Amino acid sequence: MEEQLVYKCVAFDVDGTLIDTNQSIIASLQQVLLEELGRKYSEDELRFALGIPGAVVLEQLGVPDVQAALNKWIAYSRESSHLVSAFPGIEDLLAGLRAAGITLGIVTSRTRGELDILSRFGFRDSFAAVVCADDTERGKPNADPLLKLLADTGLGPAEVLYVGDSVNDGLCAHAAGVKFALALWGAVNPAVPCDYRPAHPSELLTLCQAAR
């Protein structure tokens, strides 16, 4: 009898998990805040912005016109895209999961338009199930984005593994009843509660292959 995979789908966050965008995100946010609030914020002051929706960040910082500032932030992020890179081992991880018959998914706080950045790395089309910030009324840490992925794929919570780098990713997974792997290669806080703690993409591939 053929053995079954425990995880039929592995879903990924994008920033800090598939691609390293920290430098680009913070540098472009610094520029926006200098123009909008007249203050130069340090990198440490803005690290909280990693892994949560841009509009929420700007609201918390007290920016008067959140939408206008968000548009600027997106534009400046595109201008600093030379600072973005795929994490080492991600391409091999995705290829290995596909070869094992595992469906690849994305659950991100990026909008559909902002997800275009993946095209430059050649693996945008690898993902069969994609849930972006504009696909659900409530985003992470609420369960809704992962619940939509479950509905779209027809899979149960036990059949999906979610991989992310932040506490909001973990809370979203927990709320949806999905196991969570903390991507230590991109996590700002390595102590975020999780079910698995892979230090490198290759460890995640070994974990999923061992689930046969």
Side-chain angles (χ1 to χ4, degrees):
M1 181 171 150
E2 188 178 350
E3 294 177 311
Q4 298 295 310
L5 288 171
V6 172
Y7 297 117
K8 294 182 179 178
C9 172
V10 178
F12 294 86
D13 178 42
V14 174
D15 299 280
T17 304
L18 293 174
I19 55 177
D20 185 355
T21 54
N22 289 0
Q23 252 191 303
S24 172
I25 289 171
I26 291 178
S28 52
L29 178 57
Q30 284 175 319
Q31 181 63 30
V32 170
L33 295 175
L34 185 61
E35 293 177 12
E36 295 293 316
L37 301 178
R39 178 184 162 192
K40 176 73 171 179
Y41 284 76
S42 70
E43 287 188 20
D44 286 342
E45 287 178 295
L46 299 179
R47 287 200 174 274
F48 80 94
L50 302 173
I52 61 178
V56 175
V57 172
L58 295 167
E59 285 170 5
Q60 290 183 13
L61 289 166
V63 173
D65 188 338
V66 169
Q67 189 56 54
L70 186 60
N71 292 340
K72 273 189 187 181
W73 191 2
I74 293 169
Y76 290 148
S77 293
R78 285 175 178 153
E79 290 174 9
S80 62
S81 62
H82 60 284
L83 299 174
V84 178
S85 60
F87 284 105
I90 286 295
E91 202 166 344
D92 290 340
L93 168 62
L94 299 179
L97 292 174
R98 287 198 310 271
I102 296 174
T103 298
L104 299 180
I106 282 177
V107 174
T108 178
S109 294
R110 282 178 175 262
T111 64
R112 290 267 163 183
E114 292 168 340
L115 200 61
D116 287 347
I117 192 170
L118 290 186
S119 299
R120 62 178 280 205
F121 300 106
F123 47 67
R124 170 64 181 87
D125 294 335
S126 299
F127 300 94
V130 176
V131 179
C132 295
D134 36 9
D135 292 326
T136 59
E137 187 174 337
R138 298 181 297 180
K140 296 182 289 187
N142 192 275
D144 289 9
L146 267 173
L147 292 178
K148 177 167 172 50
L149 179 122
L150 295 177
D152 290 348
T153 58
L155 298 174
E159 297 175 302
V160 175
L161 174 66
Y162 186 45
V163 187
D165 66 299
S166 72
V167 65
N168 279 348
D169 295 328
L171 290 171
C172 176
H174 177 74
V178 169
K179 294 289 187 183
F180 177 59
L182 180 67
L184 288 181
W185 59 84
V188 175
N189 177 10
V192 169
C194 58
D195 300 288
Y196 308 106
R197 207 176 293 272
H200 187 273
S202 61
E203 292 182 22
L204 183 65
L205 180 59
T206 299
L207 165 71
C208 292
Q209 290 174 331
R212 285 184 176 275

